Amino acid sequence: MAAIVHTSCLSPIHGFSKVGCMMMGPSPSVSNTNPTTTNQLVQLGKSDVRVSQIGIGAWSWGDTLLWNGSWDDKNIKETRDAFNAGMDGGLTFFDTAGWKGGDSSESLLGRAIKDRQMQGKSGKAIVATKFAPFPWRFSRSSVVAALKDSLSRLGLTYVDLYQLHWPGLWGNEGFLDGLGDAVDQGLVKAVGVSNYNEKRLRAAYNQLANRGVPLASNQVHYSLLYRLPEENGVKRTCDELGITLIAYSPLSQGILSGKYTAANPPSGPRGRTFNAAFLAKVAPLLSKMKEIGQRYDKSSTQVALNWLLAQGNVVPIPGAKTAAQASEFAGALGWELSRDEERELHIIARNVQPIQGFPAENF
């Protein structure tokens, strides 16, 4: 397995050593202490980019289709506060997507970064964004062209991580060359993919390696309620090749927070997916998460994120639209589940049939 690389050499967490240490096997003892703090960084694959152990997903910022019925000044202020709370709490890695102009997640993140700089606040945001391989984008040049539009919306001269949002129906080799071109032109520090299965992941890794460019990450759906990366070889391949697995939807769209029950399902599109029948099946897992969280004075949200960290080589990016959410995510660091607790949650979660994932995983 590929070791997670930290910025100092302290005791390993579940078998992954820090910089300058040899990789070690799992400790036979059970421990709930963890010297990790929110200001430590992990290496993104084999690239030179280091990110916070938990990032913040900003895809929902500006969205009015799935997450928000409307978007107004109040929403903008809340996301600005979420950004600052993340930065202040050591969650400095922000993942967004270049879907559109206007008040997109990119433009909102860019304005938040600029505002923080103007206020003289400390910290540097590590920014990731994506290229969407729409059917009308055919060539490698479209990757750099789209990236330049993203940089304009972000107000940046480069991004730390640029990712192919999903495998294209065609043109994938050209898109990967486009990522390499972006590196050569100094527009990005690292490149990654998203929603790639094992076969495509290995092909992308090899093609970029031929240009001397490391494939830093694969961003996929991964949580206690969606463990396909463990079953389809993606997690194993990431560990083998030294590719960081970035976990989106690590809270299963809020279900793992414990906020929803069969009697109180989420509203809108999520309510059709996470209906009363599904939530009834999830109840034993949510109950155990709450029980474990009480032992550490932690929320179910923090337990869910800590479980992902315990899998090793995983950087969760839960979505935060408020300062309270960002601050809660930071509370998932600085402690760790015991081995027994981690395994117990895994066993209980297996009794829940996962929801349908993003179709691109099967392309």
Side-chain angles (χ1 to χ4, degrees):
M1 299 177 73
I4 292 182
V5 182
H6 294 254
T7 54
S8 62
C9 184
L10 300 174
S11 60
I13 302 173
H14 288 178
F16 290 93
S17 61
K18 307 291 180 69
V19 170
C21 301
M22 295 297 294
M23 188 163 171
M24 301 173 62
S27 169
S29 63
V30 172
S31 172
N32 61 11
T33 60
N34 182 350
T36 304
T37 58
T38 56
N39 62 356
Q40 287 189 335
L41 304 177
V42 294
Q43 185 177 357
L44 202 60
K46 298 177 181 176
S47 74
D48 294 330
V49 174
R50 286 171 168 75
V51 301
S52 52
Q53 297 164 84
I54 294 175
I56 289 181
W59 172 54
S60 66
W61 296 7
D63 172 77
T64 57
L65 178 63
L66 179 62
W67 300 100
N68 315 286
S70 62
W71 196 262
D72 53 26
D73 290 343
K74 178 176 180 293
N75 299 123
I76 293 174
K77 182 182 183 304
E78 287 179 340
T79 54
R80 187 77 52 85
D81 292 343
F83 170 78
N84 284 312
M87 292 292 295
D88 294 340
L91 308 189
T92 57
F93 178 43
F94 294 84
D95 179 83
T96 182
W99 285 88
K100 58 184 178 64
D103 266 350
S104 68
S105 57
E106 287 180 329
S107 64
L108 290 168
L109 177 59
R111 281 148 53 189
I113 292 172
K114 183 177 180 180
D115 180 71
R116 185 177 178 90
Q117 291 172 339
M118 292 179 64
Q119 293 181 25
K121 294 182 179 179
S122 62
K124 179 186 181 299
I126 306 301
V127 177
T129 194
K130 307 181 186 76
F131 169 82
F134 294 128
W136 56 86
R137 288 175 166 168
F138 299 100
S139 66
R140 63 193 289 177
S141 63
S142 63
V143 177
V144 172
L147 173 58
K148 289 179 178 178
D149 288 340
S150 290
L151 291 174
S152 177
R153 287 189 290 269
L154 286 161
L156 301 174
T157 57
Y158 70 89
V159 291
D160 298 279
L161 175 66
Y162 197 45
Q163 307 153 96
L164 300 184
H165 208 152
W166 61 81
L169 296 176
W170 53 73
N172 288 284
E173 291 78 10
F175 295 151
L176 290 166
D177 279 333
L179 291 182
D181 294 341
V183 173
D184 291 344
Q185 295 179 35
L187 300 175
V188 301
K189 286 189 172 182
V191 295
V193 293
S194 182
N195 298 299
Y196 270 48
N197 61 30
E198 180 183 1
K199 181 179 179 180
R200 287 191 177 277
L201 186 60
R202 289 184 182 276
Y205 174 90
N206 290 329
Q207 183 175 338
L208 287 167
N210 287 335
R211 293 188 58 167
V213 176
L215 178 61
S217 62
N218 185 21
Q219 184 177 144
V220 296
H221 188 176
Y222 187 31
S223 74
L224 262 170
L225 285 178
Y226 194 81
R227 299 168 309 283
L228 185 63
E230 300 173 352
E231 301 161 4
N232 64 6
V234 165
K235 177 67 168 65
R236 181 183 64 249
T237 301
C238 285
D239 294 342
E240 173 193 336
L241 299 179
I243 300 168
T244 298
L245 191 155
I246 299 176
Y248 72 76
S249 200
L251 302 175
S252 290
Q253 298 185 33
I255 301 304
L256 290 173
S257 70
K259 176 181 178 181
Y260 302 107
T261 65
N264 179 41
S267 59
R270 284 184 298 163
R272 292 191 290 273
T273 301
F274 303 106
N275 53 33
F278 180 85
L279 288 167
K281 295 177 181 177
V282 177
L285 175 63
L286 298 179
S287 177
K288 178 56 65 174
M289 292 172 65
K290 182 178 181 180
E291 174 191 324
I292 291 174
Q294 288 173 343
R295 299 173 192 167
Y296 300 96
D297 194 23
K298 296 293 180 180
S299 68
S300 294
T301 290
Q302 292 163 340
V303 170
L305 295 175
N306 197 276
W307 181 87
L308 279 170
L309 295 177
Q311 307 315 303
N313 194 34
V314 176
V315 174
I317 50 167
K321 295 188 292 182
T322 67
Q325 289 173 334
S327 297
E328 184 178 19
F329 300 158
L333 297 174
W335 63 286
E336 66 177 346
L337 295 167
S338 72
R339 278 283 196 171
D340 290 342
E341 291 165 339
E342 173 202 337
R343 290 168 177 163
E344 185 176 18
L345 289 174
H346 209 155
I347 291 170
I348 297 174
R350 289 174 185 165
N351 295 323
V352 182
Q353 182 67 30
I355 60 168
Q356 178 62 44
F358 191 45
E361 292 173 314
N362 299 317
F363 284 1

